[in-house]
């Protein structure tokens, strides 16, 4: 019998006008890991308030937690969409900054990278976002190297994914990094997702992780 696994708490931030696939893709990938009923991640959504939020295409989302009752996290994922909803919310931005000091991994998908840039968390790092936002991201994080040729940029603690479906690539990359490539490939196969795991920029410090 395999040893009991303690799932890692993984919160995905949701907000009004969030991009649906930015958060649903990773939610699915992280949520179907493990075997014999032992998941590697306890995946849930979190929002500033416990109220229902409306995604960019009209999906209604009931957050599992608000930032007031969110349990301690191993990973926080910031998706994109109308990111100004987050950038203009001082309370939410302060919470994300606080989480950066507590989580093992702070990751973004698509224009969620703008949030990390605004907080100064991408300074000196490699990062990516949706193709429509490369220039804006570079302006927001002048010392970052904005990669336009990869779907995931891994700096160790901070990991960014490109747009929309690339959130699945980010999730598979993190699963492979934390639990092995066999696990990541099994998830990709289950999801019938054509994954190119080499499409990642790894910062030099990753060699020591």
């Amino acid at each position: 019998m395999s040893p009991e696994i303690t799932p890692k708490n993984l919160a995905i931030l949701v907000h009004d006008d969030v991009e649906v696939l930015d958060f649903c893709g990773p939610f699915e990938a992280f949520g179907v890991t493990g075997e014999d009923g032992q998941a590697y991640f306890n995946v849930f959504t979190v929002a500033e308030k416990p109220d229902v939020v409306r995604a960019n295409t009209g999906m209604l989302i009931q957050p599992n937690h608000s930032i007031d009752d969110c349990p301690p996290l191993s990973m926080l994922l910031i998706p994109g969409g109308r990111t100004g909803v987050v950038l203009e919310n001082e309370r939410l931005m302060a919470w994300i900054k606080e989480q950066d000091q507590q989580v093992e991994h702070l990751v973004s998908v698509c224009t969620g990278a703008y949030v990390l840039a605004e907080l100064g968390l991408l300074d000196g790092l490699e990062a990516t976002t949706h193709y429509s936002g490369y220039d804006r991201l570079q302006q927001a994080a002048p010392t970052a190297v904005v990669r336009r040729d990869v779907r995931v940029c891994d700096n160790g603690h901070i990991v960014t994914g490109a747009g929309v479906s690339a959130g699945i690539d980010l999730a598979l990359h993190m699963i492979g990094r934390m639990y092995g490539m066999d696990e990541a490939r099994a998830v990709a196969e289950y999801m019938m997702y054509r994954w190119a795991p080499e499409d990642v920029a790894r910062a030099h410090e990753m060699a020591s992780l």
Side-chain angles (χ1 to χ4, degrees):
M1 180 180 294
S2 59
E4 185 174 350
I5 295 169
T6 301
K8 293 180 178 293
N9 283 344
L10 194 169
I12 300 178
L13 182 69
V14 291
H15 55 80
D16 283 335
D17 289 322
V18 65
E19 176 75 39
V20 170
L21 194 56
D22 280 9
F23 80 90
C24 285
F27 198 113
E28 172 78 8
F30 285 120
V32 297
T33 55
E35 57 184 16
D36 299 326
Q38 298 188 62
Y40 291 141
F41 298 94
N42 174 33
V43 191
F44 50 85
T45 53
V46 63
E48 182 199 3
K49 301 176 182 179
D51 306 329
V52 171
V53 300
R54 182 182 292 272
N56 66 327
T57 54
M59 175 190 287
L60 298 180
I61 310 153
Q62 176 62 64
N64 296 104
H65 291 280
S66 73
I67 62 175
D68 294 314
D69 65 10
C70 185
L73 301 177
S74 174
M75 189 186 309
L76 174 62
L77 186 149
I78 312 295
R82 186 161 64 88
T83 318
V85 173
V86 180
L87 295 172
E88 296 165 9
N89 187 322
E90 294 182 4
R91 183 168 180 262
L92 191 52
M93 289 291 283
W95 181 78
I96 295 169
K97 186 175 182 179
E98 180 181 277
Q99 290 300 311
D100 174 61
Q101 301 299 313
Q102 299 177 8
V103 298
E104 294 178 40
H105 306 291
L106 180 60
V107 305
S108 70
V109 177
C110 200
T111 57
Y114 298 165
V115 175
L116 305 187
E118 181 66 24
L119 292 172
L121 302 178
L122 298 182
D123 293 348
L125 303 183
E126 293 190 353
T128 192
T129 187
H130 189 271
Y131 68 83
S132 66
Y134 292 145
D135 292 340
R136 178 177 171 182
L137 183 61
Q138 190 67 80
Q139 292 172 359
T143 66
V145 177
V146 176
R147 296 292 299 267
R148 303 170 185 237
D149 58 334
V150 294
R151 292 173 71 81
V152 179
C153 284
D154 190 337
N155 298 277
H157 171 61
I158 299 284
V159 185
T160 58
V164 196
S165 66
I168 301 173
D169 297 70
L170 178 140
L172 292 170
H173 171 73
M174 294 304 295
I175 293 165
R177 178 177 152 187
M178 299 169 73
Y179 293 104
M181 292 299 290
D182 286 346
E183 177 67 22
R185 290 191 181 97
V187 170
E189 180 179 8
Y190 170 76
M191 295 177 67
M192 298 185 70
Y193 185 71
R194 293 180 178 178
W195 179 40
E198 68 277 5
D199 197 6
V200 177
R202 295 177 177 84
H204 67 277
E205 61 264 30
M206 280 298 298
S208 63
L209 295 179

